[in-house]
Amino acid sequence: MSESDEIVLDSTRRLFDDLFPRDEASRRDETAWPAQAWASVEELGLPLALLSEDQGGFGLSAETLAGIMALAGEAALPLPLAETMIATRLLGVSGIEAPQGPLSIAPAPSGGRIQATREGAGLRLSGVLPRVPWGAQAAGIVLVADTAEGPCLALLRPADYRVSAGKNLAGEPRDDVALDGAIDGAFVRPGDCAARDLKALGAAFRAMAMAGSIGRVLAMSVAYANERVQFGRPIGKFQAIQQNLAIVAGQAAASAGAAAIAAEAVSGRGGRLAMAAAKLRTGEAAGIVASIAHQVHGAIGCTHEHSLHIHTRRLWSWRDEFGNEAEWSRELGEHVVGLGADGLWPFVTSL
Amino acid sequence: MLTFPPPPETTSAIETLRREVRDFLAVELKDRKPMDRARTWTGFDADFSRKMGERGWIAMTWPKRYGGHERSALERYVVMEEMLAAGAPVAAHWISDRQSGPLLLKVGTEAQREAILPKIARGECFFAIGMSEPDSGSDLAATRTRATPVEGGFRVNGTKVWTTEAHQCHYMILFCRTGTQEDRKGGTSQFLVDLKTPGITIRPILDVAGEHHFNEIVLEDVFLPQSALVGKLGDGWDQVMGELAFERSGPERFLSSFVLLTELIRELGPDASDEAKAVIGRLTGHLMTLRYLSRSVAGLLQKGENPALHAAVVKDLGALYEQAMPDVVRQLVGIEPSLTSGNDLSEVLGYITLTAPSFSLRGGTREILRGIIARGLGLR
């Protein structure tokens, strides 16, 4: 990792620690939009991090990208950092100026929920984009819609849609966004390319954040096992607890490995299928880790008062966002089955 | 928190090496049936090992003056994973290349290195590991085999078990007691033992598949010269612990059953159900992740670190992955495991079903590994 990357990671860590102290009780009931925190994150330049240096970004290495997203996961960052980073990069590549402020993304929803037709250089849209992260707070939403002429990337501005608020299991805003109108050609770019693969990018970023969250849950569980005394000794001294926490450590390592694969894919190596692998692996780990962490914490971990749920509720949400394990497994499996038995190993070693 | 740094970057030289290995294997393994490919690092074939030695694919990272090739840990890793994925019979030289040779390189005497290492590199000298005993399995420090100092060397008495392929090996690295029984760890040492030494009896222990890989080695008044001591007297425990990172992190810890996965894909064909695709995709995603972690450990070894904890994590994850595979296969294709059905998938499934229990035993049991991980977490 380069020196400048280390500086980025250090300042990110310090900022997140300042803004969102670990497991502070107030975080249990987060509802309001933390505008000041978002301003600080913007000030550090993180939303632009994926852009190249001549575009005003950091030209991040894959390792540092994974590091930033892991920190966001550890901090249970209540901000659309991943979404804004992805949207900013797509807009940058498409030559559309990004609006100031937080942004969100909406992959083309399945099942014809959005009707999209080309209108000159522009696009006419109707339908509802379901569960858009921070849809109400976003200064713009990047959408990839399917039209008869092929996929189109569009920047939606708040005047283009109506939002009805919703949230995920962790209380993070997941808003339905209703569309009914025309988008000017200045904000529309037709064409298909892997870099616009919003759903896979969303999955890759959730995988990275889950790895960070899992690391935090492991640390909390180890600390609790060393503190909590039963039968005259800390419960962490019992082999049954040790063996379970070793399982969590294994899943944490696998998640970190999968997150690194995701980060490399975002940086151009491996593409959608590598992102698929990362999401299915971290999603599986998330379930195992949340379950054992709650078992180790006992009844107190099931209370609103304890902060474990700040992380476990996110894990239970994120594993289903941008495609769950089954969906990504099917897609990766479809590719492998298509390659045939003797194509598997060359595929695995090409990544 | 345990971190796995990014693996060393691959290079065009490494990918050229990969193609050379694949071309070699395409010819050498042309007629090798899936059932035989399933025995890869348990497949003993001295001729094959000699051919690998000729190509410079054993002792790859060792100094040239000992017959090595001074290549990188990543280059060695590529050769290993290609061999395993193809189901090449690499058992004969595997242990000498993986740990016995590196042990001698690290702590052996100059005479030991000069006598042994070039032969290992040529694929002509095979090693067995003399660690476990009837009363000393996971509790390795309970070893009772004893080397007693005598004029000019040591006299050894005791019994070693589970010494894989000892009946076809030339040497054994013997771990035994040289101090008091109370000094559990400090009272142990390692020796280089020629398996033809008088007083050594090797008897087969058949495994659940009815095959002869394991052995019992009885040592009765075996004389070892002073020159057979490996490393320092009393350093046996620390030396063994140093070997374990090599033993636990390699690609054999998640590629032992790879042939079962490829045969499953072959059986399913291009019209596999959605359920089957999901299963294949999941196994592929896990495999990609394990390979990333294992290559990361190879990078740490290359830098001269001792990633014992990382290795324990990789081995535990690899065993979980591989042991689940037979169940996954049988539920998907409704095929019976058999060693004699004549059907490739059924036979591979039969073989892996019978050997899978050993995956979380050999090289450190699951419970021991998790104990090591728990210690790393600060719980012990």
Side-chain angles (χ1 to χ4, degrees):
Chain A
M1 192 182 292
S2 74
E3 203 180 325
S4 64
D5 278 11
E6 275 178 37
I7 293 170
V8 170
L9 271 185
D10 273 354
S11 3
T12 305
R13 182 181 294 111
R14 266 184 278 117
L15 177 64
F16 289 176
D17 281 351
D18 283 354
L19 292 176
F20 304 103
R22 300 257 159 121
D23 312 312
E24 196 190 52
S26 65
R27 303 221 32 211
R28 294 186 302 250
D29 301 303
E30 279 169 348
T31 47
W33 165 247
Q36 197 50 51
W38 178 258
S40 307
V41 168
E42 271 191 340
E43 204 174 312
L44 196 58
L46 290 178
L48 308 176
L50 277 187
L51 297 179
S52 66
E53 281 173 277
D54 35 313
Q55 285 174 307
F58 300 161
L60 278 190
S61 70
E63 192 184 358
T64 311
L65 170 62
I68 290 175
M69 289 319 299
L71 289 171
E74 274 175 49
L77 195 75
L79 300 169
L81 176 60
E83 290 80 0
T84 307
M85 283 169 82
I86 296 170
T88 305
R89 180 160 89 169
L90 261 61
L91 292 172
V93 170
S94 307
I96 299 173
E97 195 183 338
Q100 273 298 309
L103 303 174
S104 192
I105 56 170
S110 56
R113 276 183 285 187
I114 291 287
Q115 275 79 51
T117 44
R118 293 306 305 272
E119 244 181 29
L123 193 60
R124 178 161 290 279
L125 293 167
S126 66
V128 176
L129 295 167
R131 302 184 73 76
V132 176
W134 284 276
Q137 286 79 25
I141 298 169
V142 172
L143 161 79
V144 174
D146 291 323
T147 73
E149 289 84 21
C152 253
L153 178 143
L155 169 65
L156 311 176
R157 290 155 308 151
D160 298 327
Y161 50 79
R162 291 184 320 281
V163 174
S164 50
K167 50 190 170 178
N168 68 11
L169 209 54
E172 296 177 310
R174 296 293 183 263
D175 306 327
D176 285 354
V177 169
L179 295 164
D180 189 13
I183 310 296
D184 187 275
F187 303 104
V188 175
R189 295 290 181 274
D192 191 14
C193 68
R196 288 182 172 187
D197 200 340
L198 275 179
K199 183 162 183 176
L201 285 166
F205 275 75
R206 286 292 184 272
M208 291 186 261
M210 277 196 280
S213 178
I214 285 169
R216 179 77 194 125
V217 168
L218 170 61
M220 288 173 76
S221 302
V222 168
Y224 183 77
N226 276 332
E227 272 164 34
R228 170 71 172 168
V229 173
Q230 288 287 274
F231 305 103
R233 49 183 168 153
I235 59 170
K237 296 293 169 202
F238 291 98
Q239 289 198 352
I241 305 281
Q242 291 174 358
Q243 298 272 312
N244 273 336
L245 288 176
I247 293 173
V248 175
Q251 295 300 318
S255 305
I261 291 171
E264 286 183 357
V266 171
S267 306
R269 180 154 89 197
R272 181 176 168 101
L273 293 168
M275 299 182 197
K279 185 64 162 53
L280 76 89
R281 186 63 190 86
T282 48
E284 183 172 325
I288 298 168
V289 167
S291 160
I292 295 177
H294 275 287
Q295 188 67 25
V296 168
H297 277 83
I300 194 73
C302 297
T303 62
H304 183 66
E305 183 191 344
H306 196 277
S307 47
L308 180 62
H309 64 76
I310 292 174
H311 300 280
T312 51
R313 284 188 296 140
R314 280 177 167 79
L315 290 174
W316 288 319
S317 301
W318 293 347
R319 63 182 177 168
D320 286 320
E321 293 181 357
F322 298 104
N324 65 14
E325 296 98 276
E327 184 177 342
W328 287 116
S329 294
R330 262 197 311 279
E331 179 167 332
L332 183 54
E334 167 118 12
H335 180 80
V336 169
V337 164
L339 292 172
D342 300 321
L344 171 61
W345 183 247
F347 166 71
V348 167
T349 51
S350 72
L351 297 170
Chain B
M1 257 300 282
L2 197 58
T3 56
F4 286 76
E9 285 290 327
T10 189
T11 62
S12 63
I14 285 173
E15 294 313 310
T16 303
L17 172 64
R18 191 188 294 285
R19 278 193 298 278
E20 283 166 18
V21 177
R22 282 184 187 171
D23 291 346
F24 166 79
L25 291 172
V27 175
E28 286 297 320
L29 304 183
K30 187 161 50 74
D31 301 318
R32 203 169 165 84
K33 292 184 164 17
M35 174 64 159
D36 297 319
R37 289 175 187 255
R39 294 169 174 76
T40 170
W41 65 294
T42 52
F44 195 104
D45 184 337
D47 281 343
F48 186 84
S49 292
R50 196 178 32 74
K51 286 181 188 170
M52 278 189 65
E54 280 168 12
R55 277 163 182 77
W57 293 338
I58 302 176
M60 289 181 72
T61 61
W62 306 355
K64 288 186 175 160
R65 68 175 185 283
Y66 301 122
H69 305 282
E70 301 187 1
R71 303 187 77 160
S72 69
L74 190 62
E75 287 175 301
R76 174 171 178 270
Y77 191 93
V78 164
V79 172
M80 287 197 300
E81 68 173 358
E82 289 297 325
M83 292 287 160
L84 294 167
V90 290
H93 67 272
W94 194 262
I95 287 167
S96 42
D97 179 58
R98 179 184 72 190
Q99 68 196 93
S100 310
L103 174 74
L104 294 177
L105 201 54
K106 195 168 160 200
V107 299
T109 63
E110 197 54 32
Q112 286 168 344
R113 292 175 186 162
E114 283 173 2
I116 305 285
L117 296 180
K119 287 197 282 185
I120 293 179
R122 288 198 300 271
E124 295 171 358
C125 180
F126 311 134
F127 270 74
I129 303 174
M131 289 194 198
S132 294
E133 297 180 11
D135 295 321
S136 170
S138 288
D139 184 8
L140 189 60
T143 183
R144 287 215 299 247
T145 296
R146 173 176 293 281
T148 312
V150 293
E151 174 87 35
F154 300 84
R155 189 174 311 287
V156 184
N157 281 284
T159 303
K160 291 288 168 184
V161 286
W162 321 127
T163 39
T164 305
E165 309 299 346
H167 59 299
Q168 308 189 74
C169 286
H170 306 95
Y171 292 94
M172 164 171 75
I173 297 288
L174 173 72
F175 173 78
C176 69
R177 190 154 296 288
T178 46
T180 63
Q181 201 71 32
E182 289 70 41
D183 186 6
R184 278 169 46 89
K185 295 174 179 173
T188 59
S189 303
Q190 284 181 299
F191 294 91
L192 172 65
V193 179
D194 184 333
L195 286 168
K196 290 187 297 296
T197 310
I200 293 179
T201 311
I202 301 175
R203 298 195 193 101
I205 303 174
L206 300 188
D207 64 22
V208 287
E211 296 183 0
H212 178 197
H213 300 287
F214 293 142
N215 295 278
E216 175 192 66
I217 300 189
V218 179
L219 301 106
E220 292 168 296
D221 288 332
V222 173
F223 174 76
L224 298 179
Q226 190 67 38
S227 60
L229 179 67
V230 176
K232 288 207 198 87
L233 197 67
D235 274 4
W237 180 265
D238 290 339
Q239 289 172 200
V240 162
M241 291 302 117
E243 279 178 57
L244 289 175
F246 291 96
E247 186 172 345
R248 287 174 176 160
S249 64
E252 70 269 34
R253 299 305 176 185
F254 58 93
L255 287 175
S256 302
S257 314
F258 185 68
V259 173
L260 183 54
L261 180 54
T262 53
E263 290 313 303
L264 171 64
I265 294 168
R266 208 180 306 283
E267 173 81 17
L268 292 169
D271 303 321
S273 67
D274 274 0
E275 182 201 0
K277 285 174 187 164
V279 168
I280 298 294
R282 174 178 176 271
L283 292 174
T284 304
H286 279 244
L287 176 65
M288 288 161 65
T289 307
L290 282 163
R291 183 169 175 268
Y292 181 92
L293 297 178
S294 173
R295 283 161 62 234
S296 169
V297 179
L300 291 170
L301 289 169
Q302 164 95 2
K303 282 190 252 168
E305 295 179 30
N306 180 10
L309 191 54
H310 297 75
V313 168
V314 174
K315 182 176 179 303
D316 188 35
L317 285 171
L320 285 174
Y321 171 71
E322 294 210 289
Q323 288 181 330
M325 217 177 297
D327 254 3
V328 163
V329 173
R330 50 181 277 277
Q331 298 286 3
L332 267 188
V333 292
I335 197 166
E336 280 187 41
S338 163
L339 297 179
T340 53
S341 65
N343 172 288
D344 286 340
L345 181 59
S346 150
E347 290 189 358
V348 173
L349 177 62
Y351 179 71
I352 299 292
T353 300
L354 291 177
T355 52
S358 73
F359 297 168
S360 53
L361 300 173
R362 60 190 187 190
T365 66
R366 169 172 296 144
E367 291 73 15
I368 289 290
L369 295 175
R370 290 184 179 169
I372 291 169
I373 298 166
R375 190 188 307 281
L377 290 172
L379 290 166
R380 302 175 64 195

